[in-house]
């Protein structure tokens, strides 16, 4: 697996993901203060990429994403994220696609699992804002996790996922709290 030990290692994952299975581990708590970050797997470069990310009970703090498409930890996501915390995230969506703490768009062509994870902070922007993710249209399982995120999205906003137009999304042992607002004229929270 690709071991993420520093903020620079985390920022570099956008350059190492490839079509097929990608295994990553977080080996330390990581503070992203003042480290530029652009979500990997935006810009339609996600086809066939499956990510398996084990946080090993570590926390990534102060992740600030304000550039790129699908702003989040990982832009368009299929795979598994487990045992990871995101503390005090600040996500700003304004480019292409939905946005959220962990993923912008989940389960594009397959299954997404989020297990034993949490996100705190805020996400604001013009489209779909979610505490875990902005959008899912495949099979998504979210278990043993929680969000405490302030959210404002122009079209849809949700404490967990902003919009689920299709597929099956299952929540088990999950909680969400925080302020949620859909700011657009036709917005739905």
């Amino acid at each position: 697996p690709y071991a993420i030990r520093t903020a620079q290692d985390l920022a570099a994952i956008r350059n190492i993901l490839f079509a097929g299975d990608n295994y990553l581990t977080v080996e330390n708590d990581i503070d992203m203060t003042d480290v530029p970050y652009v979500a990997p797997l935006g810009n339609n470069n996600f086809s066939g990429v499956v990510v398996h990310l084990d946080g090993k009970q570590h926390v990534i703090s102060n992740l600030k994403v304000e550039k790129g498409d699908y702003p989040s930890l990982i832009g368009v996501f299929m795979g598994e994220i487990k045992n990871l915390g995101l503390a005090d995230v600040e996500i700003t969506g304004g480019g292409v696609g939905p946005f959220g703490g962990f993923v912008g768009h989940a389960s594009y062509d397959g299954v997404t699992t989020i297990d034993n994870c949490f996100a705190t902070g805020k996400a604001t922007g013009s489209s779909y804002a979610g505490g875990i993710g902005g959008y899912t249209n495949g099979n998504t399982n979210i278990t043993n996790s929680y969000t405490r995120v302030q959210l404002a999205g122009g079209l849809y906003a949700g404490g967990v996922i902003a919009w689920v137009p299709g597929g099956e999304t299952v929540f088990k042992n999950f909680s969400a709290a925080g302020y949620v607002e859909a700011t657009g004229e036709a917005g739905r929270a």
Side-chain angles (χ1 to χ4, degrees), residues 73-153:
L73 179 64
I74 300 177
V76 178
F77 184 81
M78 184 171 49
E80 175 185 35
I81 300 173
K82 64 182 181 180
N83 307 318
L84 182 63
L86 296 178
D88 300 319
V89 298
E90 186 176 336
I91 309 294
T92 304
V96 172
F99 56 97
F102 285 95
V103 299
H105 184 173
S107 298
Y108 189 75
D109 285 324
V111 176
T112 291
T113 299
I114 307 287
D115 182 49
N116 196 32
C117 293
F118 74 85
T120 66
K122 65 181 178 177
T124 59
S126 59
S127 61
Y128 308 93
I132 292 286
Y135 181 101
T136 180
N137 66 338
N139 296 318
T140 302
N141 301 298
I142 301 174
T143 57
N144 306 312
S145 300
Y146 70 89
T147 63
R148 304 290 183 269
V149 181
Q150 293 181 356
L151 301 162

Side-chain angles (χ1 to χ4, degrees), residues 152-169:
L155 295 174
Y156 293 91
V160 184
I161 303 289
W163 191 36
V164 183
E168 179 180 52
T169 300

